[in-house]
Amino acid sequence: MKTFADEYAFSKTEIKTLKEITKANYELSTIQTTLNIKPSRLTYTLKKLHNKDLIKITRKGAKKQVTFSNTKHAVLLKSLLSVYDHVDWENILKDKAIKILSQISTNSNNHVNVARNTLWRYIKDFKSRGIITQKGKINPQFRALTEFLAEYQHFFVQKIAEELYDNSVILWQHDLELLIITPKTIKAPNRNFQKTAASLFPLYNLPLFSNFDFYFYSTTKTLINPEDAILHTLLLEQGNVRYSTYALLLLKKMEKTIDQIYLLREAKHYGLENQVKSMLEFLQTHIHPDKQQLPTWEDFAEKAHEYGVNTK
């Protein structure tokens, strides 16, 4: 099953084609001759670049020409390839490398589920080329790379959200994982979009009625369990007591089966570790923690009674 996330990476031929365009080699016949590839291979490559909204193809007389599109990420990539034309970007941005670089630029520690040896090999290569520093950050010299990676990811994130629904609203995003709100009538186009947060509460006999559904997009998470639903509810609007209360309801309802180790590990991934620790302590002590947006115990107990959750 092909998804937009699968289209995110570049092939060597795609980057080489873009480098030719930066040299003002616009005619398809010239690119084909220079790269020594078959017409079918060039057609396939141009289709992939067009899907990334990086190029546009026009006709000049009897010949077709290809140029960069005017999208922001296309302009940034054109500048990167032009200014650093001595760099072999076809080896740096290919395959999983661009995803790893994107995650380095956003300080992510979730490196595309690649094997440790593979990740080490990529990072060693980036360091040897001076793309990233010894401290594991993108070299400030390549600020244009950081700007392109950020805009390119933004483009794909929007494209993924629109795959679900044209007017989807992204509530949270990290790398290519998204939390999206849509009208109730929308159906997921593929299994990478899974209902989550308050949309799953009725499955646990917590009937929260709404005109909207919440979806989590991920190419690696195959199941949304109660722990995930709790965390995603907290992400809907961080610091909102209402959603913290909903998350507490599910946490209390499922407390005998909740995997706290998994819950805390995933909470750390989302930057929610302190809040989740406070919630677990709150359910044990009934004492409102300082600096955490939680209800008072009296308000929570009243809401729990309303939804049939035993707080004793």
Side-chain angles (χ1 to χ4, degrees):
M1 178 185 65
K2 285 286 185 180
T3 68
F4 286 125
D6 296 321
E7 298 173 13
Y8 189 76
F10 288 96
S11 67
K12 280 189 176 184
T13 305
E14 287 177 77
I15 298 297
K16 287 181 178 180
T17 299
L18 291 172
K19 290 176 78 170
E20 289 303 311
I21 301 172
T22 63
K23 299 174 185 176
N25 291 332
Y26 302 133
E27 292 187 2
L28 270 59
S29 57
T30 302
I31 296 173
Q32 180 189 331
T33 300
T34 304
L35 298 184
N36 191 27
I37 58 177
K38 295 180 179 180
S40 58
R41 179 64 176 173
L42 180 58
T43 298
Y44 174 73
T45 298
L46 294 176
K47 181 180 178 181
K48 291 180 69 178
L49 292 174
H50 186 267
N51 288 341
K52 292 177 169 72
D53 215 352
L54 286 167
I55 63 168
K56 54 185 178 181
I57 300 175
T58 57
R59 184 177 292 276
K60 188 174 182 180
K63 297 182 178 181
K64 287 185 177 180
Q65 292 189 334
V66 56
T67 56
F68 276 90
S69 68
N70 296 322
T71 57
K72 188 173 180 180
H73 65 287
V75 172
L76 288 170
L77 182 54
K78 179 182 178 182
S79 175
L80 178 69
L81 298 179
S82 300
V83 174
Y84 303 98
D85 59 344
H86 61 285
V87 177
D88 58 332
W89 294 109
E90 62 272 21
N91 292 315
I92 295 171
L93 298 178
K94 67 175 182 177
D95 305 328
K96 292 180 180 178
I98 188 172
K99 295 182 180 180
I100 293 172
L101 281 171
S102 293
Q103 292 172 341
I104 290 172
S105 71
T106 57
N107 298 314
S108 172
N109 58 3
N110 180 30
H111 288 296
V112 213
N113 293 321
V114 299
R116 181 171 296 184
N117 288 342
T118 303
L119 176 61
W120 179 83
R121 187 175 70 249
Y122 273 113
I123 291 180
K124 181 181 178 182
D125 186 46
F126 295 150
K127 287 181 178 179
S128 69
R129 296 167 182 272
I131 300 298
I132 65 175
T133 66
Q134 292 303 313
K135 293 183 178 180
K137 306 291 183 181
I138 293 183
N139 192 326
Q141 175 187 347
F142 293 102
R143 180 181 176 183
L145 173 61
T146 303
E147 292 175 347
F148 163 67
L149 292 172
E151 190 59 35
Y152 183 58
Q153 187 176 99
H154 174 73
F155 163 75
F156 258 90
V157 164
Q158 294 297 323
K159 198 171 184 181
I160 289 168
E162 290 171 4
E163 182 184 19
L164 177 61
Y165 176 58
D166 288 344
N167 296 316
S168 290
V169 175
I170 300 171
L171 301 176
W172 174 90
Q173 175 257 325
H174 184 68
D175 296 330
L176 293 183
E177 289 186 336
L178 290 76
L179 190 57
I180 305 168
I181 183 172
T182 70
K184 204 79 171 177
T185 55
I186 300 303
K187 301 298 181 183
N190 58 64
R191 63 176 178 267
N192 291 327
F193 294 93
Q194 300 184 73
K195 284 187 180 181
T196 190
S199 295
L200 291 186
F201 278 37
L203 295 179
Y204 307 107
N205 295 317
L206 291 172
L208 301 181
F209 297 103
S210 171
N211 293 323
F212 301 97
D213 268 328
F214 302 102
Y215 283 90
F216 187 73
Y217 176 88
S218 172
T219 57
T220 58
K221 187 174 288 293
T222 58
L223 175 68
I224 302 295
N225 55 38
E227 294 86 352
D228 297 314
I230 289 166
L231 296 171
H232 295 163
T233 299
L234 294 173
L235 289 175
L236 296 179
E237 188 176 334
Q238 295 188 52
N240 187 306
V241 175
R242 175 189 176 196
Y243 289 120
S244 296
T245 302
Y246 290 159
L248 280 167
L249 287 172
L250 184 54
L251 184 57
K252 182 63 178 176
K253 178 87 174 183
M254 307 296 293
E255 66 179 346
K256 292 183 179 179
T257 57
I258 285 290
D259 184 341
Q260 288 196 20
I261 295 176
Y262 174 83
L263 178 67
L264 289 168
R265 186 181 74 234
E266 290 297 292
K268 185 175 182 180
H269 170 67
Y270 295 124
L272 297 170
E273 186 177 19
N274 289 338
Q275 183 172 359
V276 171
K277 285 182 178 178
S278 295
M279 289 168 61
L280 291 169
E281 185 177 347
F282 175 69
L283 292 178
Q284 291 295 318
T285 66
H286 305 177
I287 299 173
H288 190 282
D290 293 335
K291 299 180 181 179
Q292 291 293 342
Q293 298 298 316
L294 297 177
T296 64
W297 181 258
E298 291 74 17
D299 288 342
F300 174 68
E302 181 179 345
K303 184 64 70 173
H305 177 73
E306 180 182 336
Y307 284 94
V309 177
N310 186 1
T311 57
K312 297 180 180 180

